Amino acid sequence: MHTANSFTNQYPSVIGRKLLSAALVLLALCLLPGIQPPLAHATINSTALAKACSAKNVVPSKDGIRRLALIIGVGQYKSEKIPDLPGPPQDAQRIYQLLTGANGYDFPKENVCVLVDEAATTANFKQYFSSFLIERAQPNDEVVFYYAGHGSQTRDHNGDEPDGMDETFVFHDARNNGIKDFTDDEFDELLTRLHQKTNHITVFLDSCNSGTALRGDTEFLSRYIPPPETEVEAETEANTIIKRSTDTKPTADDQKTGWISKSLPGIVVFTAAGDGTVALEKNSRGIFTDAILTTFGQVNASQLTYAQAARQIRPLVKAESYQIPYFQGDLQRTVFAGVNRKLPLAWEVIETAPQLKLGGFPLPGVDTGAEFRVYDGFLKGADLQDPTKAKAVIIVEESTRLNATARIISKPVDTEPIRPGDLAILSRPSDAQKMLKVTLRPHAEPGGITTEKANLIRTSLDQNQDAKNMIQLVENNGFFEISYDNDQYVVSGPENRVRNRFTNADSVIENLRLHALQRMLSSLRGEGGNLFADQDTLKVQLVPADKQDQCAQNTNWRQAPPNAITAQEIPLCYRWNVKVKLSEKSPVRLLVGGLILSTDGSIFGLPADGTAIPLGPGEEVVFAAKGETFVASEPVNIEDQVVVFGTQETNPVPWSRLTQSAVHRAGDIKSGLYRILDQYLKGTRGVAQPVETDDTDTAWTRSSITMRVIDPDL
């Protein structure tokens, strides 16, 4: 019987922690010059933006709905004590492009005000939030606010915060010449005024207001800074702050759930990190914004809701970071009032000879080794997520992240040739995104790796062919780190938390391979076409096992709903199983299998025998055979992920076998999807000639949830 661990869940224990209302934080990649027409994505023109921010009239979208947005990206700060961030200004540009650009969400450019760096001062924010949003808004207008930059905290002076700290925005001129951070109380007042005009408000925050220390050599940058030193000193000296009044009557502000008041119905909250985890950026891109861009950039068979988006965003963030995003509000609303988009944020074929050339919106995951499915340029909507309609699978050979050269690696027999104007839809991210960078702690530091042990690790890596395709040893900026303590190798994650300990180098490399594999499996997205929808077609729950040990008799199980956005909490000692139901709306039967991805790197396959369970529409199964019942054990408050896949009966994939080495997978019968996934994991897509196949891939889907073990006595 296996015991699953859990990833650190730093979710706020009370639903009302600080967050922003709304929709999402959208993003893509740096908008660089040089893309070929008609796919140009110009950087934001400051003159045009200034003109938009001063506009008086609101232009209706094509569907007649008035849509307004204020976008802020602060990367440069006046105060020398505040570290600059390269990512937020570019995030702001990508969000602007997503809202206003071709294949975007139909926000007229005249209705979108963007403030970056020097323009994103505290005074400008207050001025334009009032003049550009509040003064111009009318009932039922769709209003969006996005902020990327540092977040922090400051002392609470009105007793409305359980932890005694107000959350803050840190604008360009904050903590300079007497200008303070902008608090959630002040923001709540602005939101209340806006809510009096319209309750269709979405607020995106790619920042955080608490955090833990990262290693000095990490490749991630935190969008959090501590409270001002003067406040910390005052708190230490006097101990007269942060105390909540218990003998006075509650004020209206006591209804606040953090950034917003409970009395503001209709607002949606998407924020990058819950309390205790850090909002991170990597390669000048917010990880949370990347996930939102990926999710909102696609075209679905039906209108996307905020709840559906939230369920898809969580595993994408988990694949890249340990931060835990948080979602709150009226999540059943359709995104941006239901814009009827027909084309995704895709790439387009520019040339087919002498080389296959692509270009388009700077999508996350597009780099050397990224895989696209190519579709006829006349297709629209959910057909562009149907693998049966694809002309070919192609792989990127060189990329500027705005342009790329590629070649065909697989195509059906007698398919139509690829032509300029065809669309290329990202199906699997680049080699760089699947590569796990690992640092060996220098020998001179406590717990450092000696030259002898470093050579053992490098030799083990060189002999593990699968690991060589997934792990890269780097001198600095490793996502994981290997150190040595008490005669054991110690594997630590980017948050400085120990993931596992081993006595030999081979075990270290195999464990890191599994961590890398988890990242890839978490980033996979289904291709459901008009048949299936990720996080919806398959309903996943964790349920108590039929038989419990005595130690679990006096604890309570709080059952989370299927496909819950928040983690299922499991009391210590509780036995549990995975339950899966196929939606009644599914037009066909599916073969169902799953994986439990543990924070220590372990991966458990369901069913345990490596097969798959056939389910018809409306049918369900509880995985409870031998080896499929798990026990909640320490560590507590660590978050694990459960992923369930569904494929059509003509295209079986033994999902649990994908976690094994390529040697063990070699004898499997490979369906179209299985073969492509196997090649992706092995890195063996470098064939000289494209593979022509008679078997056609079929639509497939996936859903995932998270869990964490809790101690009821704490």
Side-chain angles (χ1 to χ4, degrees):
M1 184 173 299
H2 302 297
T3 299
N5 296 323
S6 347
F7 266 89
T8 303
N9 186 326
Q10 310 290 356
Y11 258 99
S13 57
V14 180
I15 274 188
R17 287 296 311 170
K18 315 241 165 180
L19 291 128
L20 284 174
S21 79
L24 352 129
V25 199
L26 300 30
L27 113 53
L29 272 159
C30 209
L31 298 176
L32 304 175
I35 182 121
Q36 302 183 29
L39 301 167
H41 295 286
T43 54
I44 299 177
N45 182 286
S46 58
T47 303
L49 290 181
K51 182 178 180 181
C53 291
S54 61
K56 298 298 181 183
N57 298 322
V58 177
V59 179
S61 299
K62 295 175 184 177
D63 57 7
I65 296 175
R66 291 161 38 110
R67 294 181 172 86
L68 302 88
L70 174 60
I71 299 171
I72 295 179
V74 190
Q76 295 180 4
Y77 289 88
K78 274 190 174 182
S79 173
E80 295 181 355
K81 294 183 179 181
I82 302 177
D84 290 342
L85 294 167
Q90 300 179 67
D91 287 356
Q93 292 180 5
R94 291 187 286 269
I95 293 173
Y96 176 81
Q97 203 64 29
L98 181 69
L99 295 182
T100 67
N103 305 340
Y105 278 88
D106 201 25
F107 280 68
K109 290 182 173 62
E110 301 91 331
N111 296 355
V112 180
C113 174
V114 182
L115 303 175
V116 297
D117 289 340
E118 292 86 352
T121 63
T122 305
N124 279 352
F125 163 71
K126 291 190 287 187
Q127 174 189 340
Y128 289 114
F129 198 100
S130 294
S131 64
F132 195 81
L133 297 182
I134 296 174
E135 294 177 10
R136 302 197 308 161
Q138 296 180 4
N140 298 319
D141 282 1
E142 189 72 21
V143 180
V144 170
F145 172 72
Y146 172 88
Y147 172 82
H150 279 306
S152 189
Q153 294 177 306
T154 190
R155 290 175 294 159
D156 171 31
H157 292 284
N158 64 358
D160 68 340
E161 301 293 348
D163 64 352
M165 300 294 287
D166 281 330
E167 318 290 15
T168 67
F169 295 121
V170 185
F171 292 114
H172 170 70
D173 55 351
R175 307 185 187 183
N176 185 70
N177 293 330
I179 298 175
K180 297 182 179 180
D181 294 3
F182 193 83
T183 69
D184 57 351
D185 291 337
E186 297 172 285
F187 184 64
D188 188 70
E189 293 177 4
L190 291 176
L191 272 182
T192 299
R193 290 171 54 198
L194 180 60
H195 190 265
Q196 292 170 354
K197 295 290 192 72
T198 178
N199 60 4
H200 294 172
I201 303 170
T202 58
V203 181
F204 324 135
L205 270 192
D206 200 345
S207 66
C208 60
N209 306 96
S210 62
T212 54
L214 303 175
R215 287 194 308 274
D217 63 349
T218 183
E219 64 179 320
F220 297 97
L221 292 177
S222 170
R223 293 181 173 180
Y224 166 75
I225 55 173
E229 293 178 2
T230 54
E231 293 190 357
V232 176
E233 293 168 357
E235 178 182 3
T236 303
E237 293 174 2
N239 194 28
T240 59
I241 61 170
I242 326 180
K243 290 188 178 180
R244 189 165 185 164
S245 174
T246 57
D247 55 0
T248 58
K249 196 171 182 179
T251 65
D253 282 341
D254 285 326
Q255 298 301 311
K256 250 175 52 179
T257 63
W259 283 100
I260 60 173
S261 298
K262 293 180 182 177
S263 59
L264 302 180
I267 291 181
V268 177
V269 175
F270 278 47
T271 194
D275 286 352
T277 59
V278 184
L280 300 174
E281 68 173 63
K282 178 183 177 183
N283 297 328
S284 302
R285 306 191 310 269
I287 289 174
F288 183 62
T289 307
D290 262 348
I292 292 185
L293 180 67
T294 298
T295 300
F296 283 77
Q298 63 189 348
V299 170
N300 301 277
S302 59
Q303 294 284 4
L304 184 69
T305 67
Y306 290 118
Q308 291 170 331
R311 295 187 186 104
Q312 294 183 45
I313 288 166
R314 288 207 73 201
L316 292 175
V317 171
K318 178 173 280 294
E320 291 296 316
S321 167
Y322 64 94
Q323 71 191 72
I324 300 174
Y326 188 47
F327 313 96
Q328 181 187 0
D330 186 5
L331 301 181
Q332 300 309 314
R333 284 176 49 200
T334 54
V335 170
F336 304 138
V339 178
N340 189 21
R341 299 168 62 241
K342 296 297 184 183
L343 292 173
L345 295 179
W347 279 34
E348 186 173 313
V349 176
I350 300 172
E351 297 177 4
T352 58
Q355 280 184 301
L356 185 60
K357 294 184 179 180
L358 316 172
F361 193 91
L363 294 170
V366 175
D367 207 336
T368 303
E371 291 181 13
F372 288 85
R373 290 190 189 270
V374 178
Y375 294 84
D376 191 288
F378 292 103
L379 290 179
K380 298 182 184 299
D383 284 344
L384 295 170
Q385 285 189 334
D386 186 345
T388 67
K389 294 180 169 60
K391 289 184 174 182
V393 177
I394 64 174
I395 183 172
V396 171
E397 293 187 309
E398 294 183 3
S399 172
T400 66
R401 298 185 180 179
L402 286 171
N403 294 294
T405 59
R407 58 183 172 77
I408 299 172
I409 60 172
S410 177
K411 64 179 181 179
V413 175
D414 299 327
T415 188
E416 290 290 321
I418 296 176
R419 298 184 177 91
D422 284 348
L423 293 179
I425 310 296
L426 183 67
S427 56
R428 273 161 289 281
S430 66
D431 291 336
Q433 190 155 328
K434 78 173 187 178
M435 189 67 70
L436 183 69
K437 293 183 179 180
V438 179
T439 300
L440 302 181
R441 184 177 294 182
H443 178 47
E445 297 181 8
I449 300 294
T450 64
T451 301
E452 179 184 3
K453 290 181 174 59
N455 289 336
L456 289 174
I457 291 172
R458 292 189 177 93
T459 299
S460 180
L461 176 60
D462 190 62
Q463 293 174 348
N464 189 324
Q465 188 59 46
D466 285 351
K468 285 176 63 176
N469 294 321
M470 302 180 185
I471 299 170
Q472 180 183 3
L473 296 179
V474 295
E475 184 174 348
N476 295 300
N477 300 331
F479 187 64
F480 274 65
E481 183 189 55
I482 304 173
S483 58
Y484 199 80
D485 179 59
N486 291 331
D487 298 325
Q488 289 182 316
Y489 294 97
V490 180
V491 177
S492 300
E495 73 287 10
N496 277 337
R497 185 168 53 78
V498 174
R499 298 294 184 90
N500 225 322
R501 295 174 182 268
F502 301 97
T503 58
N504 63 81
D506 289 347
S507 297
V508 171
I509 295 302
E510 178 58 19
N511 181 255
L512 289 170
R513 182 188 76 84
L514 292 174
H515 279 297
L517 183 59
Q518 284 196 17
R519 295 178 69 210
M520 285 187 278
L521 293 171
S522 295
S523 64
L524 289 178
R525 288 183 293 154
E527 298 170 300
N530 288 293
L531 300 178
F532 315 121
D534 282 4
Q535 304 292 150
D536 187 50
T537 298
L538 294 174
K539 315 289 186 180
V540 187
Q541 286 179 291
L542 305 184
V543 296
D546 290 338
K547 296 181 179 180
Q548 295 292 336
D549 294 335
Q550 184 64 34
C551 59
Q553 297 302 316
N554 297 322
T555 57
N556 295 321
W557 177 286
R558 297 180 182 179
Q559 184 61 60
N563 295 356
I565 298 173
T566 57
Q568 169 71 64
E569 293 185 341
I570 303 179
L572 268 173
C573 189
Y574 240 92
R575 295 176 179 267
W576 55 274
N577 301 105
V578 178
K579 177 181 177 181
V580 182
K581 180 179 180 179
L582 180 60
S583 171
E584 294 88 348
K585 298 178 182 179
S586 177
V588 298
R589 294 166 60 85
L590 289 181
L591 297 175
V592 176
L595 300 168
I596 297 175
L597 310 179
S598 175
T599 190
D600 67 358
S602 304
I603 304 178
F604 306 105
L606 298 171
D609 62 5
T611 60
I613 300 293
L615 288 182
E619 294 181 351
E620 63 184 37
V621 61
V622 176
F623 292 100
K626 184 178 180 180
E628 296 173 0
T629 297
F630 300 86
V631 180
S633 62
E634 291 182 336
V636 298
N637 296 322
I638 303 297
E639 189 170 295
D640 284 345
Q641 185 178 12
V642 180
V643 189
V644 175
F645 305 91
T647 59
Q648 292 177 260
E649 293 178 291
T650 55
N651 199 14
V653 176
W655 293 98
S656 61
R657 296 295 298 274
L658 289 175
T659 67
Q660 300 176 357
S661 68
V663 174
H664 287 93
R665 297 196 304 265
D668 290 338
I669 299 174
K670 296 179 175 60
S671 63
L673 175 60
Y674 186 97
R675 182 180 58 253
I676 290 178
L677 291 173
D678 180 60
Q679 292 173 345
Y680 176 62
L681 298 180
K682 290 191 300 186
T684 56
R685 296 161 292 166
V687 292
Q689 297 295 327
V691 175
E692 292 197 353
T693 176
D694 291 321
D695 60 329
T696 302
D697 286 349
T698 56
W700 64 285
T701 187
R702 56 157 282 166
S703 291
S704 67
I705 59 174
T706 55
M707 58 146 287
R708 66 187 180 104
V709 177
I710 61 170
D711 187 344
D713 295 330
L714 295 180

